[in-house]
Amino acid sequence: WGFSSQVVYCVFAIIGMELFHGKIQYFPVNSNAPHALECGNPALKDSLFARGKYCKNNFNDFASSFIVLMELTVLLLPSFPLTPTPLFANGFANVTVQPAKLYFIAFHIVMVIIIVNIFVSFILEAFFVEYSLEKSEVETAIEHKIQELGMGVQEDELRDEQLLDNMESAEHELEGEGGTKPQSKGLLFKIASKR
């Protein structure tokens, strides 16, 4: 997970820096620079991006690019009800061209939908495999009682003819479609019979 996601982040950070470097600037709160309230770009005047004060979210350097991409991955921004993908896509498209939105859509599809879902599926699969391999307390107690009573039969010592000698009537029920007897799995035990 770590290596593949880092490669995706690096690729998109480099592409983002090539497309958007210098288009959005961050200015301190008390700055007298022209267009400081519009993140240094008059195209952002009265935009949600500038009003939300997201000027620090830019692609001017590698660290800032990673922060923007991480916010896009997590899909949460503090104090703003809109998810960052359309907010950032509109903001960066306003300072460049409208097809720049495709960059944010591509990142969302690759990182959020594909890679994060693969990561979550690996975690869930590992949980289900671990959960299915554990024996429940009831199964363990039953197996212990069978062994304690001396009724247990080891699988490697089991021979079909030894276990099924007295079960001629059930022989046809145990045969599979191919005419072979199915292999038993798990703990087997024998029951004493007067026959």
Side-chain angles (χ1 to χ4, degrees), residues 87-134:
L87 174 70
F88 289 171
N90 288 331
F92 284 98
N94 287 344
V95 298
T96 55
V97 292
Q98 288 302 311
K101 293 177 182 179
L102 294 175
Y103 168 84
F104 295 94
I105 294 169
F107 179 78
H108 184 78
I109 290 171
V110 170
M111 192 65 202
V112 177
I113 295 176
I114 296 174
I115 294 184
V116 171
N117 281 332
I118 289 172
F119 175 69
V120 170
S121 69
F122 279 130
I123 291 174
L124 289 175
E125 184 176 350
F127 170 76
F128 288 132
V129 167
E130 181 68 24
Y131 182 75
S132 66
L133 292 178
E134 290 181 4

Side-chain angles (χ1 to χ4, degrees), residues 45-192:
K45 186 175 183 173
D46 296 327
S47 69
L48 290 175
F49 191 90
R51 280 186 288 170
K53 298 184 180 11
Y54 291 109
C55 302
K56 280 187 177 180
N57 297 343
N58 56 52
F59 288 91
N60 294 340
D61 56 44
F62 205 65
S64 296
S65 301
F66 260 76
I67 291 170
V68 171
L69 295 176
M70 183 57 74
E71 288 176 342
L72 290 170
T73 303
V74 177
L75 297 176
L76 294 174
L77 286 178
S79 73
F80 201 77
L82 189 63
T83 61
T85 304
L87 174 70
F88 289 171
N90 288 331
F92 284 98
N94 287 344
V95 298
T96 55
V97 292
Q98 288 302 311
K101 293 177 182 179
L102 294 175
Y103 168 84
F104 295 94
I105 294 169
F107 179 78
H108 184 78
I109 290 171
V110 170
M111 192 65 202
V112 177
I113 295 176
I114 296 174
I115 294 184
V116 171
N117 281 332
I118 289 172
F119 175 69
V120 170
S121 69
F122 279 130
I123 291 174
L124 289 175
E125 184 176 350
F127 170 76
F128 288 132
V129 167
E130 181 68 24
Y131 182 75
S132 66
L133 292 178
E134 290 181 4
K135 293 181 179 180
S136 71
E137 292 179 19
V138 174
E139 288 174 318
T140 306
I142 291 172
E143 288 177 356
H144 180 68
K145 191 65 171 177
I146 290 171
Q147 292 293 344
E148 187 179 284
L149 294 173
M151 296 172 34
V153 176
Q154 298 295 332
E155 279 189 70
D156 52 0
E157 298 173 1
L158 179 66
R159 299 286 178 251
D160 287 338
E161 56 273 356
Q162 292 172 343
L163 186 62
L164 300 176
D165 277 341
N166 297 326
M167 300 178 71
E168 297 87 34
S169 63
E171 185 172 352
H172 296 292
E173 295 173 17
L174 294 175
E175 288 182 6
E177 293 178 15
T180 60
K181 296 176 184 175
Q183 295 294 325
S184 299
K185 300 271 185 198
L187 181 67
L188 302 172
F189 61 95
K190 55 187 173 187
I191 299 176

Side-chain angles (χ1 to χ4, degrees), residues 22-45 50 55:
K23 303 289 184 190
I24 293 176
Q25 300 293 322
Y26 170 72
F27 297 97
V29 177
N30 298 328
S31 176
N32 293 329
H35 305 294
L37 295 177
E38 293 92 19
C39 302
N41 197 317
L44 290 175
K45 186 175 183 173
C55 302

